[in-house]
Amino acid sequence: MASNHEQQSSHGSYHEKGQTAVAVLDERRRAALAEIDNAPFSWFHVKVCLVAGVGFFTDAYDIFAINIAATMLGFVYGHTSNQLSTNQSLGIKVATPVGNLVGQVLFGWLADILGRKRMYGVELMIMIIATFGQALAGEAPAINILAVIIVWRFIMGVGIGGDYPLSAIISSEFAATRSRGRLMTAVFAAQGWGQFSAALVGIIVVEAYKDSILSSPFPCYVPVDHAWRLVIGLGCVPGVIALYFRLTIPETPRFTMDIERNIAQATTDIENVLTTGKSVLDEDAPIQRVKAPKATRVDFRAYFSQWKNLKVLIGTAYSWFALDIAFYGLGLNSSIILTAINFGSPTALKSTSLYVYENLYNICVGNLILSVAGLIPGYWVTFLFIDSWGRKPIQLMGFTVLTILFIIMGFGYDALNNTPSSRKAFVFLYCLTNFFQNFGPNTTTFIVPGEAFPTRYRSTAHGISAASGKLGAVVAQVGFSQLVNIGGTNKFIKHIMEIFALFMLTGIFSTILIPETKQRSLEDISNEEQEGYVQGV
C-alpha cells in the first residue's frame, strides 16, 4: 500500500501541474491579446471599418432624411395649413430616437450574452424592413398614415439603436491599440456622409420632380407624395449592400476568449482573422473552458459598485446625454431654424406650386450646406487628432467651445437676425457648432464607452451610455417642439440656444470623470488585473 507521504506528493504534483496549466493558459490569453493590440494595419481592418461604417451611413441617412421628408409630408397631409401640426411633427421626429433607446439597451445586452457576430446583421434587417414599410405606408378610413409612419420609424429606430453598440464594439475589439481611435472615428464619420447623402438625394429627387411640381395645382399632392417616398425609401439601398458582409464577419476573439472562455479557439481565430479575415471552426477540437470572471448580476454589481468603475459609466452616459440634447435639438430641426432666420426663404407667393418647389429645394440645399460646412470636416479633424491628442482633451475642448458658441447665438440672437449679412454670420456660427460637436463630444462619446469597460460588459455599458444619449435626444425633441413657439412663431429659439449652452457647460464636468484611453490596451483600461485573470480550467 502506498504510504501517506507518497499519496500527498502525487496529489501535490497534480496540483502543481494544474497550476502550471492555468498559468500557461493565462499567458496564452495575454499573448493573444497582445497580438491583436500590436497587429499591423491590414486589409481586414479596412473591411471592418467599411462594414461597420455602411451601417452608420444608413443610420444617419434614415434619421436625418426626416428633416426634408417632414416638410414634404406637410404639403401632402397637413390638410389646411400645408404643414404638419406641432404634435404630428414631434411624433414623426421623436419616434426614431425612442426606438434607438430601446435598441441600444437591448442589442447592447444581447451582444454580451449571445455574441457580437450573432446579433450583427439582425439590426440591419430590422432597419431595411422598417424603411421599406415607411415608403409604402398608406392611408385608409380607419388608418392615419402619419401614425403608420410613426410606428415604422420606431421599429427602424430599434434597428438603428442596435447598430451603435455592435459597430463600436466590433471595431474596437478588432483594432490595434495605436490606431483604435482612428478606426472607430472612421466608422462613426460615415454618419456625416449619411446626412450629406440625405440632403443630396433630396435635391436630386426635388429636381427630378420639378416639372411635375410646377405643373400641378398647389399644394402639388401627387409629385410631393412621390418625392418623400423616394427620399425615405432609398435609405434601404446601402443597408441591403452591407447585409451580406455583416452576416459573414467573424466573431471577435475577445468575445470567444473572455465570454465563451474558449482560449484555444480564440488563439486560432486571431491567427486566421488577421491573415485571411475569416475564422475557421474545427468541429472536432475539444472545447476547453477556463475559469475567469463571468458576467452575472452579482459580478455586475461587484464591478460597478466600485467608484473607479461606476464614475466612468456615469461620465460616458451623462456626457452623451448632454451632447445629444444639442446635437439632435439642432440636427432634427435645422429646417425650422433656417426658416426662422429667413435664410434661403422662398420668394414665390405662398399658394403657388413654385413656392412648394422653392421651399423643398431650399431646405435640401440648407441641410447640404450644414453637413458640408460643419459636420463632415468635424469628423475628419477628429480622425487626425484622436490617437495623438487623445479623447478626453478633444471632448473637454469641444464642450467648452460649444458652451461659448451657444451663449453667443442665444444672447446675440436678435442682433444676429437683424440684417441679411448678420444672418449669414448666424449660419456661420451654426456651422461652427456642427463642426465642434463632431470635432468634440459627438465623436468621443461614441468611442470612449466602446473602450472603457471589460469585454463581458463592454457592449452593455456602451448600450447604456448610447441610450442615455438618445434620452437626451428625446428630451430635446419634445422640449424644442413645446417651447419653440412660446411668445409667437419661432420666438423662443434664442432661449433654446441658451438652454443648450447650459447643458454643454455640464458636459465639461462629466468629462472629468472619464479616463484617457488613447494608446492603452482595452484590458488595461478595464481597471481589472490581467495577471492571473484565468483562475482555472
Side-chain angles (χ1 to χ4, degrees):
M1 234 174 103
S3 70
N4 219 2
H5 178 69
E6 280 170 1
Q7 278 181 328
Q8 277 177 329
S9 69
S10 69
H11 180 73
S13 65
Y14 174 75
H15 183 64
E16 277 161 24
K17 274 184 199 159
Q19 279 189 316
T20 314
V22 170
V24 168
L25 281 169
D26 197 47
E27 186 47 49
R28 262 182 85 185
R29 173 180 177 270
R30 290 207 303 282
L33 289 168
E35 206 172 326
I36 309 178
D37 287 339
N38 301 318
F41 192 75
S42 67
W43 170 240
F44 176 70
H45 289 114
V46 176
K47 183 185 161 183
V48 168
C49 181
L50 291 172
V51 173
V54 172
F56 265 97
F57 175 90
T58 314
D59 297 350
Y61 182 98
D62 291 342
I63 290 174
F64 291 99
I66 201 62
N67 247 339
I68 295 157
T71 309
M72 296 177 173
L73 286 166
F75 283 119
V76 185
Y77 301 105
H79 304 304
T80 50
S81 59
N82 299 314
Q83 59 187 42
L84 299 178
S85 73
T86 305
N87 286 343
Q88 288 171 330
S89 172
L90 173 66
I92 277 180
K93 286 179 182 174
V94 90
T96 308
V98 173
N100 291 158
L101 207 154
V102 176
Q104 283 157 341
V105 175
L106 180 67
F107 279 89
W109 174 66
L110 287 172
D112 274 344
I113 293 178
L114 300 175
R116 284 74 164 122
K117 175 183 169 53
R118 261 198 208 151
M119 300 317 298
Y120 213 37
V122 175
E123 83 302 348
L124 205 55
M125 290 181 214
I126 295 174
M127 278 157 60
I128 293 165
I129 293 165
T131 306
F132 200 59
Q134 283 173 72
L136 299 178
E139 180 115 64
I143 295 173
N144 179 324
I145 185 167
L146 294 172
V148 177
I149 294 172
I150 287 169
V151 171
W152 277 122
R153 285 194 74 76
F154 170 79
I155 296 168
M156 180 186 80
V158 174
I160 292 175
D163 209 25
Y164 275 74
L166 283 163
S167 290
I169 303 313
I170 284 176
S171 45
S172 85
E173 289 185 355
F174 274 126
T177 307
R178 66 182 171 283
S179 59
R180 189 175 59 231
R182 275 170 302 192
L183 185 77
M184 293 178 79
T185 304
V187 168
F188 194 60
Q191 265 200 335
W193 294 110
Q195 271 176 282
F196 171 80
S197 303
L200 186 65
V201 168
I203 290 177
I204 294 167
V205 169
V206 170
E207 280 300 296
Y209 279 96
K210 180 177 179 178
D211 294 341
S212 344
I213 291 174
L214 293 177
S215 60
S216 312
F218 179 86
C220 318
Y221 290 133
V222 179
V224 176
D225 201 36
H226 283 228
W228 78 259
R229 290 173 193 277
L230 266 175
V231 170
I232 296 272
L234 286 168
C236 291
V237 178
V240 172
I241 294 168
L243 188 58
Y244 167 76
F245 299 101
R246 287 251 166 139
L247 296 172
T248 53
I249 208 162
E251 183 53 90
T252 73
R254 282 185 162 95
F255 179 85
T256 310
M257 189 158 21
D258 286 357
I259 298 179
E260 293 188 328
R261 308 199 305 283
N262 184 348
I263 288 180
Q265 178 65 45
T267 315
T268 52
D269 279 355
I270 290 167
E271 283 156 17
N272 290 321
V273 163
L274 293 174
T275 49
T276 65
K278 292 185 170 58
S279 68
V280 183
L281 193 64
D282 180 0
E283 296 290 343
D284 303 324
I287 293 179
Q288 182 185 38
R289 306 238 184 253
V290 299
K291 261 173 99 175
K294 190 179 175 202
T296 58
R297 279 187 187 168
V298 176
D299 181 72
F300 184 85
R301 247 182 261 134
Y303 180 81
F304 283 107
S305 63
Q306 299 175 54
W307 174 242
K308 65 176 181 178
N309 302 326
L310 180 64
K311 74 172 187 181
V312 178
L313 186 59
I314 293 171
T316 56
Y318 184 81
S319 300
W320 208 330
F321 173 83
L323 167 86
D324 271 7
I325 283 210
F327 186 71
Y328 283 89
L330 293 182
L332 291 177
N333 297 299
S334 49
S335 316
I336 296 175
I337 292 169
L338 291 174
T339 312
I341 60 166
N342 285 330
F343 185 74
S345 289
T347 49
L349 281 172
K350 245 196 171 169
S351 55
T352 59
S353 30
L354 181 62
Y355 172 83
V356 176
Y357 165 74
E358 279 187 3
N359 192 355
L360 297 177
Y361 182 78
N362 289 353
I363 280 171
C364 297
V365 171
N367 280 310
L368 195 73
I369 291 169
L370 292 178
S371 59
V372 172
L375 290 164
I376 294 172
Y379 289 116
W380 294 104
V381 175
T382 307
F383 179 82
L384 293 176
F385 290 107
I386 189 88
D387 281 320
S388 51
W389 194 20
R391 286 65 157 156
K392 200 169 173 175
I394 290 178
Q395 189 165 312
L396 274 171
M397 177 276 306
F399 272 131
T400 309
V401 175
L402 286 169
T403 307
I404 296 164
L405 285 170
F406 279 122
I407 286 173
I408 296 169
M409 284 161 72
F411 289 99
Y413 183 80
D414 292 332
L416 288 166
N417 206 355
N418 260 343
T419 63
S421 57
S422 66
R423 275 189 207 122
K424 283 181 182 151
F426 183 86
V427 173
F428 172 70
L429 289 170
Y430 192 77
C431 288
L432 268 188
T433 59
N434 279 337
F435 175 80
F436 281 105
Q437 279 173 336
N438 290 340
F439 178 39
N442 191 33
T443 310
T444 52
T445 51
F446 170 78
I447 292 174
V448 176
E451 303 176 311
F453 303 97
T455 304
R456 62 188 185 283
Y457 298 127
R458 190 170 292 128
S459 184
T460 308
H462 191 285
I464 291 169
S465 303
S468 88
K470 284 304 160 291
L471 181 64
V474 173
V475 168
Q477 214 32 63
V478 175
F480 195 101
S481 71
Q482 300 305 317
L483 297 173
V484 66
N485 295 327
I486 292 177
T489 305
N490 296 337
K491 284 283 184 280
F492 207 75
I493 285 183
K494 59 179 174 186
H495 300 304
I496 290 177
M497 297 286 179
E498 292 157 14
I499 294 167
F500 288 165
L502 177 68
F503 277 105
M504 296 304 100
L505 184 66
T506 60
I508 297 173
F509 298 105
S510 61
T511 302
I512 295 165
L513 297 174
I514 63 170
E516 178 49 70
T517 56
K518 69 165 182 175
Q519 310 302 349
R520 291 169 64 193
S521 77
L522 294 177
E523 284 61 38
D524 174 35
I525 306 164
S526 73
N527 278 338
E528 290 195 308
E529 185 51 61
Q530 295 305 304
E531 185 97 30
Y533 189 84
V534 174
Q535 299 145 1
V537 178

